[in-house]
Amino acid sequence: MREDPTEMSEDDDRTTDLAGGGTIVVEASSNKTRSCGGNGGGGVGVGTIADYCPSPYPDQVLENVLENVLLFLTSRRDRNSASLVCKSWYRAEALTRTDLFIGNCYAVSPRRAIERFKRVKSLVLKGKPRFADFSLVPPNWGAQFFPWVSAMAAAYPWLEKIYLKRVSVTDEDLILLAHSFPAFKELVLVCCDGFGTAGLAAVARCRQLRVLDLIDDEVNEDDVDWISCFPESVTCLESLIFDCVESPVNFDALERLVARSPSLKRLKLNRHVNLMQLHRLMVRAPQLTHLGTGSFSTSDNPAQADQEPDLSAFATSKSLVCLSGFRDIVPDYLPAIYPVCARLTSLNFSYANINAEQLRPVICQCYNLQTLWVLDSVCDEGLQAVAATCKELHELRVFPMDAREDGEAAVSEVGLLAISEGCRKLRSILYFCQQMTNAAVVAMSRNCPELVVFRLCIMGRHRPDHLTGEPMDEGFGAIVMNCKKLTRLAVSGLLSDKAFSYIGEYEAGD
Amino acid sequence: MESKVTCENDLNFKATELRLGLPGTDDSEKHTPPSVRSNKRALSHETTEDSRSKSNSGTSDFGDDEKEAPPAAKAQVVGWPPIRSYRKNCFQPKKTEPESAGIYVKVSMDGAPYLRKIDLKGYKGYPQLLKALEIMFKLTIGQYSEREGYNGSDYAPTYEDKDGDWMLVGDVPWEMFISSCKRLRIMKGSEARGLGSYV
């Protein structure tokens, strides 16, 4: 098809008469909107607009064309680029952006965001800076959800999804949300605070709710039975994650809810759900793929203390790929999960106080594991067991049981070295330890070239390489030199300017 | 580096230094000798590289507070190590559990052939304790009142405290009770009347 450059010009003050002929060629992806022919030309959708859209509005045609094209553009970076081409593209892009990402809630006011983007269906909003997680931001600092939810309530009644990270959300905000968005489908709250079970009850009442994920939030312990507030009939729930909710839930209501949620794939329970109850839920939901196992221990109720929990549900599960929970684990019951180990791609033991001996029989079956979070209670021996089996491991996080600077060392460079030798495909590591050596870090830089994220936290302040006494410069230097794909680096220990000169020298690109 | 440090002292860079401590917090050691402020700085745990557009690089000053303190006085600082407080708190109680694993006290009842033992930690307060005693010994204890004690009921629960004195259960706050209670005795009403009503 011939491309007439004058027709394709997007300048606002272009006055070329479309009716005068010429071919408009639009190359859209795959199967849509191909129009050819000028005056009265027929094509799908666009051609008809050319019919009744007379020459004074040539831009309108192209804008409509562009809108149809831009519907296929999903990456926000690409969209940002497209919006810079000219005003016409800016408008078209603004009209077609449905997923709004606000990386810093103070970067733009709700009013401005809403003025620009008219048809948003999904919002991602991030509030406080990351160090808020470590109690470094004063309380009532800000990042309130209210200005956003109140503005959107008026502007986006069709809103379907909200993802908030480190935002202060109140019960009233959640109630407003539930009332304002009849088509609301997904709520994900990560590291948020300020709300309680009263707010959750309001959200539960959203009839089209598919996803309610509460991840690492601080949830006020009101006594509202929010689990009972889900629709009485069959629900569309696909994901229900509430392991961070500290208050007990009405278990009978939860069991009934799970029973009437045939689409439920992800269920992460809080620590008040014990093994007996877990079994009952698993029986109701054999289709689960992601399971947070609650306490993984027996009931506190002395009347039930004698009963042995039935753990056969793990044996019959065909679909579980992700396990977490284990909040108050009784290690004796760990063998129950053996049947699912071979299929697991993600295992979160970061709340499970287990040692190497208890980990080994589990991990030696997890040869498909890609993501593993553990406590350093498993020690270097445990990590060696991981290295021996988990050849597909992409992400490892080792959290400390004793999170103090001068605490006991449970894992060391031995574990790190073992992991580097066994898990060559490693992309992301977070490793808390008390001491480290340059040699181990250098070895990891050589053994794991796929590393994208390297976060080493030597908790002892200013600790040098404990074998050589030197600063940790060479280790971190090797990481930035050898790991070409690195995008995120966290350093610790004793460092000198050398380390930073390495970082400056080798950290090119993103 | 030394001359730079001297220069900083003269110009009082300290006062205008950008820090990430909470407002109003002070450096623990302002009088550290210049040699401590060497170029061997321990930087913060984070220098994120993935999104330069974000302002996270502010954390580079993160370590400033603790770097000033001399090695001897390593008080726990806020924000280090960078673990979410939820995780930190999850495992603290576990460490102290062995010390507070149950407070078992003997319970005797007048006329009963043998004594029982109960774990005071297993109860949240007096109502639960009294209910458990009623069930265990198949009796009724009745309502406690500050004025009358357990008058009007057949039995009164008493306990021996640290000083060896026999006290009426219910007078002191629960926490104080379980820390001072050595053993329990359920007295018959006739005997207990002397205890409950005092002129």
Side-chain angles (χ1 to χ4, degrees), chain B residues 27-47:
Chain B
D27 273 352
S28 46
E29 295 290 317
K30 279 224 188 262
H31 345 281
T32 49
S35 57
V36 173
R37 297 190 64 185
S38 68
N39 44 1
K40 289 197 193 300
R41 293 174 172 230
L43 207 70
S44 79
H45 145 259
E46 283 278 353
T47 55

Side-chain angles (χ1 to χ4, degrees), chain A residues 404-427:
Chain A
R404 293 176 303 154
E405 300 183 60
D406 42 5
E408 287 177 31
V411 295
S412 68
E413 70 277 0
V414 174
L416 190 73
L417 189 61
I419 291 290
S420 78
E421 287 170 349
C423 308
R424 298 300 177 102
K425 299 186 186 177
L426 200 65
R427 294 182 197 165

Side-chain angles (χ1 to χ4, degrees), chain B:
Chain B
M1 212 56 197
E2 286 303 315
S3 57
K4 192 175 170 195
V5 169
T6 326
C7 184
E8 283 179 42
N9 284 342
D10 287 343
L11 291 178
N12 196 14
F13 270 95
K14 217 59 205 94
T16 54
E17 186 185 32
L18 277 179
R19 300 186 294 127
L20 277 179
L22 293 184
T25 58
D26 225 344
D27 273 352
S28 46
E29 295 290 317
K30 279 224 188 262
H31 345 281
T32 49
S35 57
V36 173
R37 297 190 64 185
S38 68
N39 44 1
K40 289 197 193 300
R41 293 174 172 230
L43 207 70
S44 79
H45 145 259
E46 283 278 353
T47 55
T48 53
E49 303 265 331
D50 55 345
S51 36
R52 298 225 172 87
S53 53
K54 290 192 190 162
S55 54
N56 281 357
S57 52
T59 52
S60 57
D61 278 329
F62 186 28
D64 264 3
D65 283 352
E66 54 267 27
K67 117 174 126 64
E68 294 296 324
K74 277 201 180 169
Q76 297 297 321
V77 293
V78 176
W80 187 264
I83 303 269
R84 296 188 59 244
S85 47
Y86 180 78
R87 273 191 188 281
K88 273 187 183 167
N89 297 337
C90 260
F91 297 105
Q92 305 296 22
K94 283 234 161 73
K95 290 197 104 171
T96 57
E97 239 178 51
E99 296 149 27
S100 56
I103 301 178
Y104 282 90
V105 295
K106 290 182 191 172
V107 188
S108 62
M109 186 172 97
D110 299 346
Y114 50 82
L115 279 62
R116 302 296 304 268
K117 243 191 175 168
I118 58 171
D119 177 7
L120 291 180
K121 281 244 146 203
Y123 307 102
K124 290 200 177 78
Y126 287 120
Q128 289 87 358
L129 170 66
L130 296 176
K131 196 93 197 96
L133 290 176
E134 285 182 336
I135 293 172
M136 193 182 265
F137 293 97
K138 299 182 185 26
L139 45 80
T140 44
I141 292 178
Q143 276 292 95
Y144 166 81
S145 77
E146 202 177 297
R147 202 169 177 279
E148 303 281 340
Y150 294 92
N151 266 355
S153 64
D154 297 329
Y155 295 92
T158 64
Y159 70 101
E160 183 183 6
D161 73 357
K162 284 193 180 120
D163 305 324
D165 299 320
W166 284 97
M167 319 284 294
L168 187 69
V169 169
D171 285 333
V172 300
W174 175 253
E175 292 301 326
M176 196 188 296
F177 164 70
I178 60 176
S179 61
S180 57
C181 172
K182 290 284 157 249
R183 54 186 297 169
L184 280 160
R185 177 183 164 204
I186 302 185
M187 279 184 179
K188 277 227 179 55
S190 46
E191 271 192 65
R193 213 161 285 128
L195 213 73
S197 56
Y198 50 96
V199 176

Side-chain angles (χ1 to χ4, degrees), chain A residues 130-131 134-136 216 246 327 350-351 375 399-400 402-403 432 459 461-462 487 489-491 495 507 509, chain B residues 22 41-42 44-47 49-50 52 59 62 66 75-76 78-84 86-87 91 95:
Chain A
R130 183 176 140 75
F131 45 82
F134 316 129
S135 313
L136 284 171
D216 291 339
E246 286 293 293
R327 295 284 171 135
S350 67
Y351 291 100
L375 277 180
F399 291 96
D402 182 7
F432 283 89
M459 290 188 282
R461 262 186 272 166
H462 312 190
T487 63
L489 176 71
V491 299
L495 298 167
E507 273 299 293
Chain B
L22 293 184
R41 293 174 172 230
S44 79
H45 145 259
E46 283 278 353
T47 55
E49 303 265 331
D50 55 345
R52 298 225 172 87
T59 52
F62 186 28
E66 54 267 27
Q76 297 297 321
V78 176
W80 187 264
I83 303 269
R84 296 188 59 244
Y86 180 78
R87 273 191 188 281
F91 297 105
K95 290 197 104 171

Side-chain angles (χ1 to χ4, degrees), chain A residues 75-354:
Chain A
S75 150
R76 66 176 188 270
R77 290 193 170 89
D78 290 345
R79 282 187 159 270
N80 291 346
S81 302
S83 70
L84 294 175
V85 171
C86 64
K87 283 187 191 163
S88 177
W89 280 53
Y90 180 93
R91 279 196 300 268
E93 193 282 313
L95 277 175
T96 53
R97 189 181 297 219
T98 56
D99 298 353
L100 185 57
F101 174 90
I102 310 275
N104 177 343
C105 63
Y106 289 113
V108 64
S109 71
R111 186 184 55 79
R112 287 201 58 179
I114 284 168
E115 267 172 17
R116 176 174 174 183
F117 300 109
K118 303 286 191 201
R119 298 188 193 155
V120 169
K121 283 191 186 166
S122 156
L123 171 76
V124 174
L125 183 71
K126 296 192 179 180
K128 296 175 218 173
R130 183 176 140 75
F131 45 82
D133 292 349
F134 316 129
S135 313
L136 284 171
V137 171
N140 302 320
W141 177 83
Q144 309 288 347
F145 187 40
F146 179 72
W148 291 89
V149 68
S150 53
M152 291 190 305
Y156 304 141
W158 46 76
L159 195 73
E160 293 182 2
K161 300 185 195 179
I162 291 178
Y163 173 105
L164 303 177
K165 187 164 186 181
R166 296 196 193 98
V167 174
S168 283
V169 185
T170 63
D171 288 330
E172 290 69 34
D173 296 336
L174 293 176
I175 292 170
L176 179 61
L177 183 160
H179 286 152
S180 309
F181 308 121
F184 195 70
K185 296 192 170 59
E186 297 187 16
L187 181 66
V188 180
L189 300 178
V190 180
C191 298
C192 297
D193 62 354
F195 64 97
T197 47
L200 294 179
V203 177
R205 293 195 183 94
C206 296
R207 301 210 66 84
Q208 296 191 38
L209 195 70
R210 291 196 297 231
V211 171
L212 179 56
D213 288 352
L214 306 168
I215 299 168
D216 291 339
D217 305 306
E218 277 186 39
V219 184
N220 299 336
E221 291 189 50
D222 320 327
D223 288 321
V224 178
D225 181 6
W226 57 284
I227 290 283
S228 298
C229 296
F230 284 90
E232 291 287 330
S233 56
V234 170
T235 74
C236 6
L237 264 185
E238 293 170 18
S239 176
L240 180 62
I241 295 180
F242 64 96
D243 51 306
C244 62
V245 176
E246 286 293 293
S247 45
V249 295
N250 177 342
F251 180 74
D252 291 332
L254 177 63
E255 191 176 8
R256 287 194 298 274
L257 174 64
V258 170
R260 65 179 190 276
S261 303
S263 308
L264 193 66
K265 290 281 192 300
R266 299 191 295 274
L267 177 66
K268 299 202 180 176
L269 309 162
N270 70 8
R271 71 194 317 169
H272 292 282
V273 179
N274 60 46
L275 275 169
M276 279 75 77
Q277 294 168 325
L278 176 67
H279 170 80
R280 283 161 64 179
L281 294 175
M282 289 179 73
V283 162
R284 299 278 186 194
Q287 74 282 4
L288 286 177
T289 57
H290 295 59
L291 177 65
T293 57
S295 70
F296 211 80
S297 89
T298 47
S299 164
D300 285 339
N301 187 340
Q304 293 179 4
D306 298 331
Q307 292 175 11
E308 278 300 301
D310 180 354
L311 299 163
S312 55
F314 284 100
T316 51
S317 160
K318 298 275 176 291
S319 46
L320 271 180
V321 292
C322 169
L323 270 188
S324 61
F326 308 104
R327 295 284 171 135
D328 297 304
I329 188 173
V330 173
D332 298 339
Y333 296 127
L334 257 185
I337 70 171
Y338 290 169
V340 299
C341 286
R343 238 172 291 129
L344 282 184
T345 56
S346 171
L347 180 56
N348 183 349
F349 269 151
S350 67
Y351 291 100
N353 184 358
I354 55 176

